[in-house]
Structures are given as C-alpha cells and as structure tokens.
Amino acid sequence: MENKIGFGFIREKVKNRCSTLYAMQRAELETISTDPQEIMRRQCLVDEMIQIRSLETKFPQGGFTDCTGFLPALKKESSSISVENMRKLSAFMDNLRQVTSFLNGTKEGKYPCLKALALPIQYFPTVNTRIGNILDKNGEIKDNASAALQKISSELRQAQSSVSRRIESILKRAKADNITDEDATISVRDGKMLIPVNATSKRSLAGIVQDESASGKTFFIEPMEVVELNNNIRRLMFDRQREIARILFEFTEFLRPYIPELMDGARFIGEVDFIRAKAECASQMRAGMPVLSEDGNLRIYEGRHPLLESALEREGKKIVPVDLFLTKDKHILVISGPNAGGKSVALKTVGILQYMFQWGMPTSCSQKSEFPVFDNILIDIGDQQSLENDLSTYSSHLLNMKNLLKAASSKTLVLIDEFGSGTEPAAGGAIAQTILEELEERGTYGVITTHYTNLKVYAEGSKGVVNGAMLFDSVNIAPLYKLEMGVPGNSFAFDLARKMGLPEHLVKKAEEKAGEDFIDLEKQLRTISKNRRKLEDKLARIRNTDKTLESVTEKYSKELSDIRQTKKQIIDQAKEEAKQIIAEANRKVESTIKKIKEAQAEKEATKKARQALKDAGQNIENKGLSDQDKKIEAKMKSLQERQARREERKAKRENKQPQTKAEEPVALTLEVGSKVKVNGSGLIGEVIKIEGKNVTISVGDITSRVKKDSITVISNKEFQSQAASKPSSSLRNYSVTLDESISKRKLSFKDEIDIRGQRLEEALITVSKFIDDATLVGASTVRILHGKGTGVLKEEIRKWLKTNPAVKSCQDEDVRFGGAGITVVELI
C-alpha cells in the first residue's frame, strides 16, 4: 500500500545509498512506528547525522564494511576465517574505531541520540593489533606473520629466483637456435615458468608440454632442466598455504571470545550506515525534522511530495507546496476541484509525509510542521479492478471501505481518492456520505478527494469535516495546483469543455441540462465559504487584539504600580528634606531663644514658640500619602526652589558648596542618563545602556562598553565643570585607543559562534558580546550554533535577539547546513 503514495521511492533511495548489506536489509524491512518516543528517537538520530555531515570533517562519510554475514559462523570450534573476511574485519575495526572515537571526543550534550546508540559498544585494540601483525596495508598476509611462514617465504623466493635465472638462460639459447621467436617471453601457467615454442619446433626443446594456444600454433613447454626446480616451488607454495591456514585458524581461536561484542559492533556500524543513508537522502530532498504534535493536530507547512519534486526538477520546474491543517474538531478534509488540478497529489503528499515521519525520516516540508502519531494509515487510491477475483473497480472500492471501517478509530488516518466514484452518482454519493458520517462520528482523521456535490454540501454544515479546494485560474482556464482550506472546489467542467474546443452551442445545451440549480449551488457554496472564512479571519483578528489588549493592560498595570512606588519614594524624600529644613529652623530658633534668655525675655513666650515649632514638624511627619497630590507637589516645588536659592547664595559667596549638618550629601546611583568619570583616565561621559556588569557610555562622539567597577558616578555640576576645562586632546587620545581596539577586533572576529553545551546564562553573555563585536566590526550576517536539544536555548537566544536594536532578523539555517540547530542573524 505504501507504493500508492510513493513511499517505495523513498525506501529505494535510502537502500541505494547504503554501504552494508545489513543497512540495505534495514531499509527494506523497517516499518513505521506507532510509539512517539521511538519515532522521535529515529528522527533525532537522522537529524544529528545531518548536522554531522554538514558541520564535522572527522566523521567517516561512507565506505562502511559489513561483518554480520560471516562472524556468526566463526563461533563453531572447527571454523576458520578466510583472508578475504579478515580484510573485511580489519576495515570494520577501523570503521568502529573512527565512529566511537569521534562520538567520545565531542562536547558533552552534542549528538546525544547517537552517543546513546554507541554507549554499549566496545572496541578492542588487541584485535586490531593482532590483525595488523598478520595483514599488510594492502590486505595481504605478511611474510613475517609467523617464523615458519617467514622461512618458507624466504626459500620460495630463492627457488623462484633460481628458476627464473635458469629459464632465462634456456630461452636465450632457444632464440639463438631459432626454436622460439625473437620476441618470445617467459609465460607462467599454474605457478610454473614455461617457454612458448612454435608447433614445428616443439620437439627441438627437451621438456614437458604443459599447455598450448587456442590456435594450436604455440606450445608452452616446461624444460626438463627446471622440472625439479618447479616441483620444489610448488611444494614450497603448498607449505606456505598450509602455514597461512594454520595462522588463520589460530587467529580464529583468538577471536572467538570476542565475537558476541564484535557482532554488536557490526550491527551498530550497520545502523550508522542506515542512518547516514537516511541523512543523505533527507539533505538531497531538503527535508528536516518536524515537530511531534502534542495536541493531536496535523499541521503541514510548505509540504512537498519528494517524488513529484524530483520529477519536476528534472524538467526545470518548481513544485507548488501544500499547506494543510487538521484538528480534533476539524479532522477530515474533503478536497474538490477540477480534474488534473492536484487533488490526488495533495492527498498523496499528506500520506507520504506522515509515513516518512513515522518511519523516522525527516519530512520534505517546513520544520515547524507538526505531525501526530497514528496507529493505522489506511489508503484507497487508484483503480483496483481484479480479474482474478472477479471484482470491478467499485466492488474493490467497497471492499476497501469495509476493511477501512473495521479498523477506523480516532487514531487512524484514512486517505481516499475519488470517494464514491465508479458507480451511479446518486447511489455512489449517498454511500460515500454515509461512510463519511461514520468516520466523522468515530473521530477518524482523513483526507478525501471527490467531485460529488452532496459531500461538499455536507462538509459545509458538518462539525468535523472541512472543505478544501484546488485553485483554478478561471481567466486562463488552467489549474494553479494550490490547496485552499475552508472553500469547496469547482469542477470547471463547462469552462474546460470550452477550452478544449467543444462547440459553444453544445456547452450551453449541457449547462441547460445540468440546470440553474446545479450551477448556482456551486457559486453559492463558494460565496458562503468565502464569507465564513472572512468571518473566521475577523474573529481571529479580534482574538489577537484581545490578547494584545491583555498584554498592554498588564504592562500599564505594572507601570502604574511602579509609578505609585516612585510617588511614595518622592514623598518620603520630601518628608526627609522637610525634616532637615525644620531641624535647621529649630537650631535657629534655639539660637534666638538663647539670645532672648540672655536678654531676660519672658519664659512663657519662649516655651510657646518652641512648642509651635515642634507641632509644625509633627504635622509634616504625619501627612505622608494621605495628603492631596497638589499639596505634595506644591510642597516639593517650594522645597526645591528654597534649596536652589540656598545653593545659589552659597555659590556666589564661596564658589563652592560647604556642607552643614542639615545638608547631608545625596547618594548618586548608576542609571541610564547618569554622568560618570572613567577611573584612571579623567574622561567623563554619560551612561546610555546598562547590561549586567557592563555599561555603555558616550564620551563625546565615541561610544564605549566598560565594566561597572571602572567608572564613578559624578554630579551634573561636576560633569559640566570638568567638561568645560577638559582639553580636547584627551578625547582624541581616547578615540585613537578605541580605533586600535576596533582594528584588533576586526582582525580576530569570526562570523560564527558555537554555544552548544553552555548554560543559558553563560550563553546569553557570550551571544551579547558576539553581537556587540559583530556590530562594532560592521558584520552584516552572523551564525549562532546552538543545536536543537529541547529547544529552550534556541528560544531564549532568539527572544534576546529580538530585543537587540542591532538585529534586523533571525531565522533557521538551510536544512542542508544545519537547519534549526543554527540561527542566522542579519544585522542592521
């Protein structure tokens, strides 16, 4: 059934990219999973492999060797490994070492799924060392694999050298005696060195005829002088083969205890090969890992059927992507529209993407797409007429409906093409509507294509079914292949008939036979659906507006609370200042009373004056927040004016501000707008931004980022005084220092940063500095590698980026270069 939606094409592509027989079998036999955890584990494995292929260079990119075929046979006591299988074992051990060492050498938190897969796998260096003692770099048995083999090989070389010299001498004499041709050379047959002799001269050379040419004109003779030498060579060769067999048997005995763990490693390499093949196909199809739906909704954004896309690309055309949404409330989509308008393609696109997702393959759609998990995916597509079983097209269709209804549930996805077709329209439409009602009642998810008007009418008034239309260019009479949700499609049969050249009078006659009711119904359905869609859009905008209003209300409530707090602080400050003024007044009064006493003034009058002053102070202290705002503002204004006059008088008198007991200095706090002095340089500036322990200040036309502990807050008067007297050379020197710093940053700046494995707080600080440097050096685009994981790090980084005025936009990298694991930031 999977071939009906084109999944066989995906399976075959993956199989063709596998290096090992194990991986090929996995590609053939792997079924879709109904376990959400298993599905996401498979998806994660392939997604991590895509990242490795695009970002890493040390991971082996293919050429894996399969040992699962011969290792089990070596468990038998009498078994022995062959030289060819030992070569495979050597290559497999290299594969295992490269993969495991790569995964073990990466940062903690990177590629967690692949690391979990490799966790139980063991690599045995002793096995690899033992193989290295037996095989050379070309995969041949070393002459020194054993002492006996080394001795035999040495004797064999000497014997071959001796025969070679003797046969060369014989050939030279034969040429001189015209027994053989001048251009004749020594030939080797079955390990023996032979001399080619013409048929007419074969009796002129004493020896044994070992072979002759196909034409019979040339005989290959083993001279009698070298027969015994050749026999000795053959004996040594047999001895060598026996010694090699002994070495291989001995190695097999050594290897046998390791075979269970080596089989685990071989299956692991096969799995890695299978995952790599999936990743290669996914990259070619520009597919990425989608999201597992948690609410049961199916949301496909920019879905593309990979088989159709591949065919169109060969023709230089582009595919029209599909956007489709099914929810628990609207779980069945009825697609209608003209023939060849793309209805079946849209249906098959949904089917193959859902199948790819549950098979553990990245999907050819936007990575923000969401897929639920279905227990069954049931398909009824195409003409299934069976001559063997005496079934017509419609009978086969009804048999499929019978089986479909047996299995259909709320965890089932049904895909039905040309629902109800193949029989008399009235009866077929009635049966189709009845089945549709049953599927709706069960909560079954489905995508159905049809031309029946009664199904479109039913969908308009149904709670769980929604219409969908394949759009059509009514001006040019051509399909647009674009799906529009919420609108029933029109067959445009009469328009197509006119385009195909059917006589106009026949088309009009057909329209009359169809009746005005039929034509008007199509138009009215579209009008009603459009109006309903507009209403739904308005409701959606209203809901969005309500959310925005709630957000604004919450914001203003917080601001109001802050204002009230600030108001209380201002009142408390005003009361404190008032106390200081009264205390000063009291001191003056006491001084006056003292003078009165010294002048022997009336004691009772003095007492009344002191009590009046005390009552005035108590009155100011008891007012607080219960006073009216206008009185508070007036009092504050009065106090401020009085303080300003006092400071002005003192400044005129001594050109400085001596402090009295009643005038305690006000603490200066660091905030945006504060005037500050850079410690150790004498430079002064204004704070324009505060970020944690860092402060951005403006010094003349220069903006610089410094640490909090490197500056001191100063008053406005001190700032103005120093600004008037500060020589311009200091600012110029500071500008030169900044220019040198910028030059150094430009030389060392890289437009990519890797924050994988960092904690959120650490990552935000790193990204903040990175963006500051990028802005300073004038970079236009930068990349942030954060990986995928749970998505929290990516989400928080992007939230921060959106608040940074230097950032223009941020988006996922192309799936071929990392996808959602990398954020591409465009700077202003």
Side-chain angles (χ1 to χ4, degrees):
M1 295 296 287
E2 65 184 31
N3 288 330
K4 290 184 176 294
I5 57 175
F7 186 75
F9 165 77
I10 302 294
R11 197 183 285 274
E12 191 64 24
K13 283 192 70 171
V14 173
K15 179 183 173 182
N16 291 338
R17 291 179 179 273
C18 294
S19 302
T20 62
L21 180 61
Y22 177 93
M24 293 178 188
Q25 292 173 344
R26 291 281 286 112
E28 285 182 350
L29 303 177
E30 178 93 311
T31 59
I32 63 173
S33 174
T34 58
D35 180 7
Q37 290 185 346
E38 172 61 18
I39 291 170
M40 295 313 296
R41 187 189 73 86
R42 295 181 186 179
Q43 290 282 351
C44 180
L45 286 169
V46 181
D47 186 65
E48 289 178 2
M49 187 62 74
I50 290 173
Q51 293 182 51
I52 287 174
R53 291 185 70 252
S54 61
L55 300 175
E56 308 288 356
T57 57
K58 295 182 179 179
F59 190 86
Q61 296 297 328
F64 295 110
T65 303
D66 192 356
C67 293
T68 58
F70 67 84
L71 279 176
L74 299 181
K75 292 180 180 179
K76 295 180 181 179
E77 291 296 330
S78 60
S79 61
S80 178
I81 193 170
S82 66
V83 176
E84 179 62 29
N85 287 339
M86 182 175 272
R87 293 191 192 106
K88 291 181 180 179
L89 182 62
S90 177
F92 155 71
M93 293 299 291
D94 284 341
N95 294 156
L96 191 62
R97 176 183 55 79
Q98 290 170 353
V99 173
T100 54
S101 63
F102 169 82
L103 292 174
N104 293 333
T106 56
K107 291 181 182 179
E108 185 179 354
K110 287 182 69 176
Y111 315 126
C113 295
L114 284 171
K115 285 183 177 178
L117 189 67
L119 188 62
I121 304 304
Q122 298 182 58
Y123 170 72
F124 300 103
T126 53
V127 175
N128 216 23
T129 302
R130 190 73 175 263
I131 294 173
N133 292 335
I134 298 173
L135 296 182
D136 61 19
K137 61 181 180 181
N138 297 318
E140 301 296 335
I141 301 292
K142 291 181 176 180
D143 288 343
N144 62 351
S146 72
L149 183 62
Q150 188 171 17
K151 183 175 180 296
I152 293 169
S153 298
S154 177
E155 292 177 359
L156 181 61
R157 284 193 299 271
Q158 291 176 6
Q160 288 173 336
S161 177
S162 176
V163 170
S164 179
R165 288 194 301 272
R166 183 72 62 86
I167 203 85
E168 285 285 352
S169 175
I170 295 171
L171 178 63
K172 189 175 180 181
R173 291 201 307 268
K175 287 180 180 180
D177 296 338
N178 294 321
I179 297 174
T180 186
D181 296 335
E182 281 296 326
D183 58 350
T185 59
I186 295 171
S187 178
V188 178
R189 304 289 173 93
D190 295 330
K192 295 181 177 181
M193 294 184 181
L194 310 176
I195 294 177
V197 178
N198 295 328
T200 57
S201 306
K202 66 178 182 178
R203 297 185 181 277
S204 302
L205 183 64
I208 301 171
V209 176
Q210 297 289 357
D211 200 1
E212 64 178 292
S213 65
S215 63
K217 293 181 179 180
T218 304
F219 288 81
F220 297 92
I221 298 176
E222 180 184 12
M224 292 302 297
E225 298 179 40
V226 297
V227 168
E228 186 59 33
L229 293 175
N230 274 336
N231 288 340
N232 184 47
I233 288 174
R234 289 178 65 81
R235 180 184 62 78
L236 289 172
M237 290 178 69
F238 285 137
D239 290 345
R240 188 174 189 276
Q241 290 300 321
R242 282 193 293 271
E243 178 60 18
I244 289 174
R246 187 196 67 78
I247 291 170
L248 294 176
F249 182 80
E250 184 181 87
F251 173 77
T252 305
E253 292 289 313
F254 157 78
L255 186 68
R256 193 166 288 120
Y258 297 97
I259 289 177
E261 288 77 13
L262 290 175
M263 277 297 297
D264 291 339
R267 284 189 287 266
F268 167 71
I269 289 298
E271 285 294 328
V272 170
D273 186 29
F274 178 46
I275 295 165
R276 179 197 55 79
K278 279 185 174 182
E280 284 188 10
C281 290
S283 297
Q284 185 185 34
M285 294 185 297
R286 297 187 296 278
M289 184 174 74
V291 178
L292 174 65
S293 176
E294 296 181 354
D295 54 12
N297 294 341
L298 173 62
R299 301 180 179 91
I300 297 177
Y301 300 93
E302 300 177 7
R304 312 178 316 277
H305 195 294
L307 180 58
L308 177 60
E309 185 174 31
S310 177
L312 289 175
E313 284 180 349
R314 287 194 295 269
E315 299 175 7
K317 300 178 182 178
K318 288 187 177 181
I319 195 170
V320 179
V322 173
D323 291 341
L324 184 146
F325 314 102
L326 295 179
T327 66
K328 288 184 177 180
D329 295 330
K330 293 287 186 181
H331 49 88
I332 298 178
L333 172 64
V334 175
I335 304 177
S336 51
N339 286 319
K343 298 189 300 296
S344 297
V345 170
L347 178 143
K348 291 178 180 180
T349 300
V350 175
I352 196 170
L353 292 180
Q354 184 67 43
Y355 218 92
M356 289 169 69
F357 171 70
Q358 293 192 218
W359 196 61
M361 182 81 179
T363 52
S364 52
C365 57
S366 170
Q367 288 182 277
K368 67 179 180 180
S369 300
E370 298 182 30
F371 291 87
V373 177
F374 295 108
D375 292 339
N376 294 298
I377 300 176
L378 306 176
I379 303 169
D380 181 38
I381 298 175
D383 183 1
Q384 300 179 43
Q385 184 178 19
S386 174
L387 297 178
E388 294 179 0
N389 299 323
D390 194 24
L391 290 175
S392 67
T393 299
Y394 189 64
S395 297
S396 297
H397 175 72
L398 289 179
L399 182 60
N400 285 339
M401 292 302 101
K402 171 189 171 183
N403 296 330
L404 183 148
L405 289 171
K406 283 182 180 179
S409 68
S410 60
K411 297 288 287 181
T412 301
L413 173 66
V414 298
L415 305 170
I416 307 174
D417 194 24
E418 299 295 345
F419 195 25
S421 63
T423 189
E424 193 274 323
I431 293 174
Q433 182 173 334
T434 303
I435 295 173
L436 181 60
E437 290 173 358
E438 180 64 21
L439 294 175
E440 180 190 7
E441 182 71 21
R442 296 187 188 185
T444 303
Y445 286 69
V447 178
I448 297 169
T449 68
T450 187
H451 286 288
Y452 287 162
T453 302
N454 67 308
L455 297 184
K456 293 185 275 185
V457 174
Y458 175 78
E460 282 301 308
S462 169
K463 291 182 179 179
V465 185
V466 61
N467 269 312
M470 300 308 300
L471 298 184
F472 191 83
D473 186 349
S474 56
V475 176
N476 298 312
I477 315 300
L480 299 175
Y481 306 109
K482 186 174 180 61
L483 174 65
E484 184 176 10
M485 297 280 294
V487 180
N490 194 319
S491 65
F492 292 96
F494 300 118
D495 299 284
L496 287 170
R498 288 188 175 92
K499 182 182 180 183
M500 299 306 295
L502 205 64
E504 180 63 25
H505 71 280
L506 293 180
V507 176
K508 287 186 177 180
K509 195 171 183 180
E511 287 178 338
E512 291 173 1
K513 288 183 179 295
E516 292 184 2
D517 292 343
F518 173 80
I519 297 172
D520 291 343
L521 179 62
E522 293 284 338
K523 293 179 179 178
Q524 288 170 7
L525 278 175
R526 292 183 66 82
T527 302
I528 292 170
S529 295
K530 285 181 179 179
N531 290 338
R532 188 179 68 179
R533 188 178 58 182
K534 288 179 181 178
L535 178 60
E536 288 175 351
D537 290 343
K538 287 182 179 179
L539 289 174
R541 285 197 296 272
I542 290 171
R543 284 193 290 268
N544 289 334
T545 303
D546 288 344
K547 289 181 180 179
T548 304
L549 183 60
E550 289 176 4
S551 176
V552 171
T553 302
E554 183 180 355
K555 175 184 176 183
Y556 286 148
S557 296
K558 186 177 181 304
E559 289 182 357
L560 181 59
S561 176
D562 293 342
I563 290 171
R564 286 173 177 166
Q565 182 66 25
T566 304
K567 176 181 174 181
K568 182 178 181 302
Q569 292 174 356
I570 292 172
I571 292 172
D572 291 343
Q573 184 180 356
K575 287 167 60 178
E576 185 63 29
E577 291 180 0
K579 284 182 180 180
Q580 293 176 5
I581 294 169
I582 292 172
E584 184 180 359
N586 279 336
R587 284 193 295 274
K588 291 182 179 180
V589 170
E590 290 291 341
S591 176
T592 304
I593 291 172
K594 184 178 179 182
K595 291 179 180 179
I596 293 172
K597 282 183 177 181
E598 290 175 353
Q600 296 182 349
E602 186 178 357
K603 185 176 181 181
E604 188 63 29
T606 303
K607 185 177 180 181
K608 286 182 180 181
R610 184 182 292 111
Q611 185 61 41
L613 287 171
K614 184 178 180 181
D615 291 342
Q618 187 66 35
N619 184 45
I620 290 174
E621 185 173 353
N622 291 336
K623 279 188 177 182
L625 292 173
S626 63
D627 287 348
Q628 295 179 359
D629 289 345
K630 290 183 179 180
K631 291 183 179 180
I632 293 171
E633 291 176 3
K635 182 65 177 176
M636 290 174 61
K637 186 176 180 180
S638 173
L639 292 171
Q640 290 170 353
E641 290 175 351
R642 185 182 303 173
Q643 184 71 14
R645 287 195 299 270
R646 184 166 62 250
E647 289 179 355
E648 185 179 356
R649 286 196 300 270
K650 290 181 180 179
K652 287 181 180 179
R653 186 169 60 250
E654 298 179 9
N655 196 23
K656 61 182 180 178
Q657 296 182 3
Q659 292 183 343
T660 65
K661 255 186 175 183
E663 295 175 44
E664 295 183 7
V666 179
L668 297 174
T669 58
L670 181 64
E671 57 188 13
V672 175
S674 296
K675 304 300 187 294
V676 295
K677 178 171 66 176
V678 180
N679 298 336
S681 69
L683 293 172
I684 56 174
E686 182 177 346
V687 176
I688 59 175
K689 185 190 289 186
I690 300 176
E691 295 175 320
K693 296 181 179 180
N694 298 319
V695 178
T696 302
I697 65 171
S698 172
V699 182
D701 294 331
I702 305 298
T703 300
S704 178
R705 196 173 184 216
V706 298
K707 297 289 184 182
K708 275 186 179 179
D709 56 7
S710 67
I711 58 174
T712 302
V713 182
I714 61 176
S715 66
N716 290 337
K717 181 167 288 189
E718 186 178 353
F719 175 82
Q720 293 171 359
S721 175
Q722 292 193 30
S725 60
K726 186 63 63 179
S728 59
S729 61
S730 296
L731 189 58
R732 287 196 298 271
N733 292 338
Y734 186 63
S735 176
V736 170
T737 303
L738 283 178
D739 289 342
E740 291 174 354
S741 176
I742 292 170
S743 298
K744 289 180 181 178
R745 289 191 185 184
K746 284 183 177 180
L747 291 173
S748 62
F749 178 75
K750 295 181 180 179
D751 62 356
E752 183 175 287
I753 188 172
D754 188 348
I755 58 171
R756 291 174 293 183
Q758 295 186 12
R759 296 190 302 274
L760 177 58
E761 182 179 354
E762 180 186 0
L764 285 173
I765 294 172
T766 303
V767 171
S768 173
K769 184 178 183 304
F770 177 60
I771 295 299
D772 284 347
D773 289 348
T775 305
L776 193 62
V777 303
S780 59
T781 305
V782 295
R783 299 168 82 242
I784 302 173
L785 280 69
H786 44 62
K788 291 188 178 178
T790 61
V792 174
L793 183 60
K794 169 185 172 181
E795 183 180 355
E796 294 300 323
I797 290 296
R798 290 203 176 177
K799 282 182 181 178
W800 182 87
L801 288 171
K802 289 177 181 178
T803 64
N804 193 314
V807 176
K808 183 178 181 181
S809 66
C810 54
Q811 61 187 7
D812 288 349
E813 176 61 278
D814 189 290
V815 293
R816 292 172 293 179
F817 307 111
I822 299 174
T823 292
V824 178
V825 182
E826 185 178 358
L827 302 173
I828 296 175

